Amino acid sequence: MKVFKIILTLLSVAATVAFLRFENYLTGTSLVVAFLLYFLSSAIHLLVHESGHFIGGVVSEYKLLCLQLGPMNIVVGTNNKPSILWKGSLSGQCVMLPKHIENVRFKAYNMGGILANAILMIFSFALLLMDSFWTSLLFVELICVGIQKIIVNAVPHKTNSVPNDGYIVKLLKKDKAIQKDYATYLRLYGKLFLDEDISPQDYKYERAISEDEDEMLYYNEIQDILNSLTPANN
């Protein structure tokens, strides 16, 4: 996937150069501005992607735990009051807890980010041919980044054993037992995130063992967390 990401980035560069050439604006200044707009577009798509997860989670009746938008972290603690923390990070994440363990709703939450990127990309395409050249250049970069974000998040794959959105949805579609593992894992992760006391017995349940490592992914994550708990938590 790393090679594929490089290829997508190179295609974005080619598309930008082609646009500048088409507009007869292929200069050093325009290339520098395009470079800056590319990073601005990446930040915009990050915000939109995580917001899409959040909206999908709300629709699915999930409870917000943490919404990270670059250095800004919106955290909802045990008192249900949101607080804003600032960290030296440019990444993003949306951690939410499902309302139910059984028959958990997962499609809107996991695919919400991809859908939000797609909507922004379509919006940018619709406004591409504006009178302002620099505005049009911004929309070109939003389209290029949008295509990358959608492909990288929608095509099922793992990065350092961490599944992307498309992989999670594909996996959870397989079996309700995996969905239960997933919902239980999110709740356990929420406890860890909030630094709350954990009772391992609350997370032990009967589970048919599968030889497919993917199908046991979240169940094994739960067991790893429980096994790592200090005696004080047991």
Side-chain angles (χ1 to χ4, degrees):
M1 181 54 73
K2 288 183 179 180
V3 174
F4 192 55
K5 288 180 180 179
I6 293 174
I7 293 174
L8 288 174
T9 301
L10 292 176
L11 288 175
S12 295
V13 172
T16 299
V17 171
F19 173 77
L20 294 175
R21 194 175 186 85
F22 176 79
E23 293 288 333
N24 295 317
Y25 225 108
L26 186 57
T27 64
T29 299
S30 63
L31 286 172
V32 171
V33 173
F35 181 77
L36 295 175
L37 290 179
Y38 178 86
F39 283 98
L40 174 62
S41 298
S42 297
I44 293 173
H45 269 286
L46 172 67
L47 187 151
V48 168
H49 183 86
E50 301 306 334
S51 298
H53 280 306
F54 172 69
I55 294 173
V58 171
V59 170
S60 304
E61 299 183 284
Y62 282 36
K63 176 186 175 182
L64 178 64
L65 186 64
C66 174
L67 178 61
Q68 179 182 350
L69 303 172
M72 184 177 73
N73 286 255
I74 302 173
V75 179
V76 179
T78 53
N79 57 3
N80 290 324
K81 292 183 179 180
S83 59
I84 298 179
L85 305 176
W86 298 93
K87 297 182 179 181
S89 172
L90 296 178
S91 61
Q93 68 171 337
C94 179
V95 181
M96 302 183 76
L97 308 180
K99 183 176 181 180
H100 304 288
I101 295 295
E102 305 288 346
N103 298 318
V104 61
R105 300 165 65 184
F106 60 89
K107 292 180 182 178
Y109 173 52
N110 285 285
M111 298 302 289
I114 297 172
L115 179 59
N117 289 135
I119 291 173
L120 176 57
M121 191 180 72
I122 293 171
F123 176 79
S124 300
F125 188 79
L127 299 178
L128 181 59
L129 299 178
M130 295 187 69
D131 292 337
S132 170
F133 165 77
W134 300 111
T135 304
S136 295
L137 181 57
L138 171 61
F139 288 132
V140 166
E141 299 307 320
L142 284 171
I143 292 170
C144 289
V145 174
I147 292 173
Q148 292 181 56
K149 294 290 185 183
I150 291 171
I151 292 177
V152 168
N153 287 288
V155 178
H157 73 279
K158 291 182 181 179
T159 301
N160 298 324
S161 299
V162 178
N164 70 342
D165 297 330
Y167 198 101
I168 292 173
V169 172
K170 180 181 178 181
L171 178 60
L172 296 182
K173 278 180 166 181
K174 285 185 176 183
D175 194 279
K176 289 190 178 297
I178 305 174
Q179 296 172 23
K180 181 177 180 179
D181 295 341
Y182 168 76
T184 304
Y185 167 75
L186 287 181
R187 289 195 173 187
L188 179 57
Y189 179 82
K191 287 276 190 180
L192 288 174
F193 186 88
L194 296 173
D195 197 26
E196 296 180 359
D197 289 336
I198 296 172
S199 174
Q201 292 302 321
D202 293 339
Y203 299 92
K204 292 185 181 296
Y205 55 92
E206 292 186 4
R207 170 66 153 94
I209 304 301
S210 171
E211 294 183 359
D212 188 330
E213 291 186 3
D214 274 354
E215 293 185 8
M216 301 300 295
L217 175 65
Y218 290 108
Y219 183 80
N220 289 335
E221 289 283 354
I222 294 169
Q223 304 313 309
D224 288 343
I225 293 174
L226 295 180
N227 292 334
S228 67
L229 294 177
T230 61
N233 293 114
N234 290 304

